[in-house]
């Protein structure tokens, strides 16, 4: 079977433009989903994309369960004020995706307040980010990032799979174009690359149940979210072990921090572009497997990474990264 795969690919390649055209026509002509009476749970609604999505889905008519790490925070209070205008369709709950009991409590809440059309969607949006070269970060930090960005999404997915299979719903995962390459935040890239592979397996396995799995891949939207604040070279230096300080110098750390902060400063402020993709993933009769929401130059970088030899991508990124000499 595997020996025939390249031949099959060559036969299908000329048909790719036609298949793409037919798919787009189907997406335009098919009827949109009716949101009334359908429930969606979103993680990470304190701020950023999750917060915007909760507001958008509520206004569209969905029953929204908005998971917040800090239910007493400003983001949660804003969602509660929105809920007050239409009691019953917006519920704000404490949800730390690293805590199994929080996830189980969220499931019990959803089960006890399911609307008539049942549970339609799970949006795994919660995530954290940081900056630092591999040796600068502690093992505890690697464990924390894995628990939030990867295992947290898996934890909520496993809990809600029975409901999603029953109602033939949707699962949406927040990834990033950083899943393809890294520019100073390898720990974040690592978790996003892992979640992509988890989704690839899940998407194929869920097809037989009528459950759709979608991945959202934003570009640089740092100014639209609170996931990655500007970094301080002084704080980074102070947190380095003595062994790392013996290898690196303050000038190098400062240059890398300035480089990363410059990237953050160029991020888009229009988070609703990403939310549009998330809504389409939940409501389209024919959702895409992946939604890349990024600038043209960011998409070009992903294209180079995906199709060119690794040595080419390494050369591009090495040129972009620090040119300061180590002590």
């Amino acid at each position: 079977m595997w020996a025939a795969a390249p031949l099959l690919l060559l036969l299908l390649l000329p048909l790719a433009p036609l298949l793409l055209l037919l798919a787009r026509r189907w997406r335009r002509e098919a009827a949109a989903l009716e949101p009334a009476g359908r429930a969606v749970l979103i993680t990470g609604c304190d701020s950023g994309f999750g917060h915007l999505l909760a507001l958008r889905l509520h206004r569209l008519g969905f029953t929204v369960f908005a998971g917040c790490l800090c239910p007493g925070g400003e983001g949660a209070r804003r969602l509660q004020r929105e809920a007050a205008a239409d009691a019953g369709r917006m519920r704000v709950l404490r949800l730390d995706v690293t805590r199994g009991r929080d996830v189980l409590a969220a499931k019990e809440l959803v089960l006890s307040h399911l609307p008539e059309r049942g549970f339609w969607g799970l949006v795994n949006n919660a995530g954290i980010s940081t900056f630092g070269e591999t040796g600068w970060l502690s093992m505890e930090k690697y464990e924390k990032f894995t628990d939030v960005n990867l295992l947290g999404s898996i934890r909520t997915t496993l809990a809600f799979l029975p409901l999603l299979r029953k109602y033939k719903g949707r699962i949406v995962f927040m990834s990033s174009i950083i899943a393809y390459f890294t520019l100073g935040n390898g720990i974040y890239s690592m978790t996003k690359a892992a979640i992509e592979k988890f989704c690839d397996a899940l998407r194929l396995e869920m097809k037989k149940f009528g459950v759709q799995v979608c991945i959202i891949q934003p570009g640089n939207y740092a100014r639209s979210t609170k996931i990655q604040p500007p970094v301080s070279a002084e704080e980074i230096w102070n947190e380095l072990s003595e062994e790392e300080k013996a290898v690196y110098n303050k000038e190098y750390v400062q240059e890398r921090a300035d480089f990363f902060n410059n990237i953050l400063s160029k991020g888009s402020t229009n988070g609703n572009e990403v939310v549009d993709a998330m809504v389409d993933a939940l409501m389209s009769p024919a959702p895409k497997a992946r939604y890349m929401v990024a600038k043209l130059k960011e998409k070009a970088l992903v294209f180079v990474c995906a199709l060119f030899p690794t040595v080419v991508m390494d050369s591009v990124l090495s040129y972009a990264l620090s040119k300061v000499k180590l002590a």
Side-chain angles (χ1 to χ4, degrees), residues 97-116:
V97 297
T98 69
R99 295 160 60 99
R101 61 187 178 188
D102 274 18
V103 174
L104 292 178
K107 183 178 180 179
E108 290 300 319
L109 181 67
V110 169
L111 285 170
S112 61
H113 295 90
L114 269 183
E116 59 271 20

Side-chain angles (χ1 to χ4, degrees), residues 27 51-52 101 104 108 115 138 142 148 157 162 180 204 224 227 241 258 281:
R27 285 171 55 81
H51 186 87
L52 294 174
R101 61 187 178 188
L104 292 178
E108 290 300 319
S138 66
Y142 278 98
V148 175
T157 299
Y180 295 94
L204 292 174
S224 303
I227 191 172
S241 67
D258 291 344

Side-chain angles (χ1 to χ4, degrees), residues 42-47 66-73 75-76 79 92-99 102 126-128 144 148:
I42 311 165
T43 68
C45 293
D46 300 82
S47 61
C68 293
L69 182 62
C70 301
L79 294 176
V92 180
L93 60 143
R94 172 180 169 77
L95 181 51
D96 179 346
V97 297
T98 69
R99 295 160 60 99
D102 274 18
I128 54 176
K144 179 181 179 181
V148 175

